[in-house]
Amino acid sequence: MRMIKRLFAGLFISSFALVSAGCGGGPSTQEVVIEGNDQMRYNIGIINVKAGTDVTLTLNNVGSLPKESFGHNVVILQPGTDPVEFANAGMENVANDYIAP
């Protein structure tokens, strides 16, 4: 089970990226909907957002398997954060859905 959790954390961190591109302009809002399935995949891999844009992010788990084995999280890390260290720090944090504090 621990290996599955480790694989899950590595997959979700490595398979999803939020990319900020461009600059300037006034504030606006972009809505993004992500779907995660039982194959541990998202329907999109990269979100391009113009710098300064507010983003409303919605994650829908469209799978049918239990959350405990195939539930999804989306985590957007600060620049410079090591994704492997972040995933490892969350491995034992069951109460917070395996997300490090």
Side-chain angles (χ1 to χ4, degrees), residues 6 9 21-22 34 38 43-44 48 53 61-62 88:
R6 183 173 302 276
I34 303 168
D38 288 338
N43 64 325
I44 56 178
N48 290 303
T53 302
N61 186 356
V62 297
N88 287 336

Side-chain angles (χ1 to χ4, degrees), residues 39-50:
Q39 288 73 44
M40 303 298 285
R41 300 206 182 263
Y42 298 107
N43 64 325
I44 56 178
I46 295 174
I47 301 169
N48 290 303
V49 178
K50 186 176 181 179

